[in-house]
Amino acid sequence: MKKWIMLWAMGSCVLGVFAQHPAKVSELKRRYVTYPFTDPDPIASAQKLYPYFRFDGFTNMAIEKDWKTVILENDYIRVQVMPEIGGKIWSAYDKVNKRDYIYNNGVVKFRDIAMRGPWTSGGIEANYGIIGHTPNTSTPVDYLTQENADGSVSCFIHAYDMLSRSNWTLEIRLEKDKGYFSTRSFWYNANAVEQPYYTWMNLGVAAGQDLKFLYPGNQYIGHDGDAHAWPIDSQGRDLSNYSENAFGSSKSYHVLGAHSNAFGVYYTDHNYGMARYALREDKLGKKIFLWSQAGDGKIWENLLTDQSGQYVEIQSGRLFNQNVPSSSQTPFKQLGFAPYQSDSWTEYWMPFSGIGKPKEIQLSAAIQIKSENNKLLLDLDPKRPLKDSIYVLDSIGTVLNRSFIEAQLGEPTRLSLMVATDSRPSYLKLGQDYFNLRTDTSWSKLNRPTVISAEVSSDTGQTKLLEIRDLIRFRQYTLAEVKLKELIQHGTTSQTYLEMAKLAWFKMEYQQCYAYARQALSILMMHRQITTMVWQRLS
């Protein structure tokens, strides 16, 4: 496995000259109060879990245990990785403001939450494969540390997922002069058949009555794909405020409806927050998970930690939501991981402070923008050393004003820019980053349907076929086969034969798989011949 990591790592180095103060990577043992797990069950009864087994033994009796840790550190950020606990990013510490900006659990307390049982709260957990809290989440994974030629450092985490027979590698990288770290994912389906496609990053932040979710959008969907208003719900509650979610049980909000690269949280009483940044096309999904603020949720604070308090999860995914099968009856369907397909994407994780609730977050800075007469007042929290020209632009790119900014990373800076009274500033350009100045938010709204079209919903055969396809992608083969046999009684298409071939493949009935595949091909060839004849006559 380490050869796999090394081959990928060699391609990630950027040639350059070491700075005088490069970032550092080190390995050490850290002792934690630990609530271990035990009692492996050798019989994997759950179809989704085979060929893994579960662990069924959990305890209230703590022990002292030394855990292997990897520390990535520069002058601004310190990141701790736990290779023996799924490669989880256990904590990220803001050295400028002297506080954790990711929930840092003070104990290792395994509880029965994950697919195989044991799971710990906090940090950032990477998930690839079938469903969240994957089989690797609490067990050792392969890792490799590296000092890069540009002064950055990396820790590569790698695992082989036996459920989907796919390989995933996560590069956790800290540059020498940035106030954030990045995670670069590489995921590869080495199979000749389609596999389930599920990948989400789960990040914990501390809960608090002053906690506000910075999630651009106008709707949220549930696991079932049903859409609801965001952030103001039908009862007039602002769901972006943690304090206004003190109703009902635990909640999952998959927020959508706006084009944005960043989302995160802000603590109003502390003038502090954190954000996750990525290209929107790389990560469409942005989710909030909240434990109930009633007793049924509060019990998990005691179950999962000793003194670190309650947490909230903010999550990013490649798909819009974490589907359950009924989501297939909406536009938000499960995706399949195509044979021999590979995917790669990068995300950035940063703290910000001292500027109030930011209007815009880019890799260069978090910015708060206010208008005062014919002035733009900018409060910036730099995420890299700034020594750049800064431009105010209108909607067609005309320069309305230009200035120069010089600011140190971690030192919030105020800048005032004059603009003509009759001008309409639309953007702020700083280096390669563009910050939106427009007060009208309609520009960012996405005109994406949240309900399935009437034509498709009325086609019960097509709807059932989509449901069967997604059941197979969820590895619910028995239920998919029952529904497929019911559908076949009303006729067959190339797609139904294809799904039958998939089921036969997974059952290792290869001759039957071959026969179904031939049937699908014969229909496809017939369609192609008919299409060719039509085109010939039309021409």
Side-chain angles (χ1 to χ4, degrees):
M1 292 298 182
K2 289 193 175 183
K3 288 183 179 179
W4 178 284
I5 304 175
M6 182 63 77
L7 288 171
W8 190 55
M10 290 171 63
S12 74
C13 295
V14 180
L15 296 178
V17 180
F18 274 96
Q20 289 184 342
H21 303 286
K24 298 179 293 185
V25 59
S26 58
E27 297 182 45
L28 53 89
K29 293 279 189 178
R30 282 195 169 170
R31 178 161 294 186
Y32 280 88
V33 172
T34 300
Y35 297 80
F37 60 90
T38 184
D39 295 344
D41 180 357
I43 302 174
S45 57
Q47 192 176 49
K48 277 190 176 183
L49 191 56
Y50 180 83
Y52 292 100
F53 52 82
R54 280 183 49 85
F55 294 92
D56 292 321
F58 301 89
T59 181
N60 286 323
M61 302 295 292
I63 62 172
E64 297 280 335
K65 179 176 172 62
D66 290 330
W67 291 93
K68 183 183 295 183
T69 66
V70 173
I71 306 297
L72 310 173
E73 187 169 10
N74 64 15
D75 291 338
Y76 316 100
I77 301 291
R78 182 172 64 244
V79 181
Q80 177 177 321
V81 183
M82 303 286 265
E84 295 176 312
I85 309 179
K88 173 178 277 193
I89 300 171
W90 194 262
S91 65
Y93 184 74
D94 179 354
K95 297 168 71 174
V96 175
N97 292 283
K98 297 180 173 55
R99 62 189 299 165
D100 292 297
Y101 69 96
I102 293 173
Y103 181 92
N104 184 0
N105 199 338
V107 298
V108 178
K109 205 167 188 178
F110 293 104
R111 288 295 178 258
D112 189 0
I113 289 180
M115 186 183 293
R116 297 182 69 185
W119 184 82
T120 57
S121 62
I124 304 180
E125 171 196 12
N127 292 279
Y128 310 83
I130 305 297
I131 199 170
H133 309 320
T134 61
N136 312 108
T137 194
S138 293
T139 52
V141 295
D142 293 311
Y143 75 100
L144 173 73
T145 62
Q146 181 171 277
E147 296 178 345
N148 302 315
D150 63 354
S152 65
V153 292
S154 298
C155 177
F156 294 85
I157 300 298
H158 173 82
Y160 175 69
D161 177 52
M162 291 193 291
L163 296 176
S164 59
R165 294 177 175 84
S166 63
N167 291 277
W168 61 264
T169 301
L170 181 73
E171 179 190 9
I172 306 159
R173 188 184 187 103
L174 181 64
E175 299 184 57
K176 65 180 185 295
D177 58 351
K178 301 294 191 297
Y180 54 76
F181 69 94
S182 63
T183 54
R184 182 165 66 108
S185 295
F186 179 81
W187 189 22
Y188 173 57
N189 176 17
N191 300 271
V193 293
E194 181 184 80
Q195 291 293 325
Y197 189 96
Y198 180 103
T199 175
W200 286 76
M201 296 289 276
N202 294 359
L203 177 145
V205 295
Q209 292 303 300
D210 65 332
L211 173 62
K212 187 170 185 65
F213 301 106
L214 308 180
Y215 272 58
N218 55 21
Q219 291 182 301
Y220 78 86
I221 56 174
H223 294 281
D224 58 4
D226 286 345
H228 311 270
W230 172 268
I232 309 300
D233 72 1
S234 59
Q235 303 298 313
R237 295 173 292 223
D238 187 347
L239 302 179
S240 68
N241 294 324
Y242 177 81
S243 60
E244 296 191 50
N245 283 273
F247 65 92
S249 190
S250 301
K251 301 170 181 64
S252 291
Y253 303 130
H254 303 87
V255 180
L256 47 78
H259 189 289
S260 65
N261 292 333
F263 65 89
V265 297
Y266 175 65
Y267 298 90
T268 57
D269 294 348
H270 299 82
N271 195 10
Y272 190 86
M274 68 81 54
R276 189 242 51 167
Y277 178 93
L279 296 178
R280 180 181 175 273
E281 54 267 28
D282 280 350
K283 276 297 191 78
L284 296 171
K286 49 182 188 283
K287 177 193 170 185
I288 302 165
F289 172 76
L290 302 167
W291 287 113
S292 165
Q293 295 181 42
D296 61 331
K298 288 182 177 179
I299 61 171
W300 288 102
E301 180 179 341
N302 178 61
L303 286 170
L304 289 167
T305 191
D306 284 353
Q307 298 179 349
S308 298
Q310 187 61 284
Y311 72 96
V312 173
E313 285 184 13
I314 65 173
Q315 306 178 14
S316 68
R318 294 280 277 174
L319 306 185
F320 282 104
N321 68 338
Q322 297 164 352
N323 319 58
V324 295
S326 58
S327 188
S328 301
Q329 319 226 352
T330 76
F332 306 101
K333 294 177 170 54
Q334 177 65 24
L335 190 66
F337 204 2
Y340 306 119
Q341 178 184 349
S342 63
D343 273 353
S344 182
W345 59 90
T346 303
E347 300 175 78
Y348 303 84
W349 314 85
M350 67 183 73
F352 59 84
S353 66
I355 61 170
K357 187 180 77 171
K359 176 177 173 57
E360 286 280 312
I361 298 170
Q362 300 286 350
L363 291 182
S364 57
I367 293 185
Q368 176 57 260
I369 305 168
K370 296 179 181 178
S371 297
E372 186 178 282
N373 298 324
N374 59 339
K375 290 182 183 178
L376 286 177
L377 299 179
L378 310 176
D379 288 310
L380 302 90
D381 182 15
K383 296 294 98 185
R384 60 173 174 82
L386 296 179
K387 200 171 183 180
D388 295 274
S389 293
I390 188 166
Y391 301 87
V392 180
L393 309 173
D394 66 12
S395 60
I396 61 173
T398 304
V399 177
L400 304 177
N401 197 354
R402 172 183 174 179
S403 185
F404 187 80
I405 183 170
E406 188 167 358
Q408 296 302 312
L409 200 166
E411 296 182 4
T413 301
R414 170 160 286 190
L415 185 67
S416 176
L417 291 169
M418 301 291 293
V419 291
T421 305
D422 59 349
S423 64
R424 294 185 178 181
S426 296
Y427 302 100
L428 189 75
K429 183 176 183 295
L430 175 60
Q432 299 299 314
D433 292 334
Y434 287 83
F435 297 83
N436 175 54
L437 300 177
R438 289 173 287 184
T439 56
D440 178 16
T441 60
S442 61
W443 68 273
S444 66
K445 291 182 179 179
L446 300 175
N447 187 22
R448 182 184 178 88
T450 56
V451 294
I452 202 165
S453 66
E455 293 81 3
V456 175
S457 61
S458 63
D459 184 350
T460 56
Q462 177 69 6
T463 303
K464 288 181 179 179
L465 186 57
L466 292 173
E467 180 186 3
I468 292 165
R469 181 200 64 183
D470 287 356
L471 284 170
I472 294 173
R473 289 171 174 174
F474 282 115
R475 287 170 61 101
Q476 296 188 18
Y477 302 133
T478 302
L479 181 57
E481 186 171 26
V482 170
K483 289 182 174 290
L484 193 54
K485 287 179 178 178
E486 293 175 353
L487 184 62
I488 289 172
Q489 294 176 2
H490 302 286
T492 56
T493 65
S494 60
Q495 190 64 39
T496 54
Y497 279 122
L498 179 59
E499 303 306 327
M500 291 161 67
K502 288 180 189 176
L503 284 174
W505 172 276
F506 290 125
K507 292 167 69 176
M508 294 187 291
E509 296 175 351
Y510 299 122
Q511 281 300 119
Q512 192 65 57
C513 174
Y514 177 71
Y516 288 142
R518 280 183 59 85
Q519 291 281 66
L521 283 173
S522 68
I523 296 174
L524 289 170
M525 289 302 296
M526 180 178 67
H527 287 172
R528 177 172 293 182
Q529 290 171 356
I530 293 172
T531 303
T532 302
M533 289 172 58
V534 169
W535 275 111
Q536 288 175 344
R537 293 195 177 188
L538 288 175
S539 60

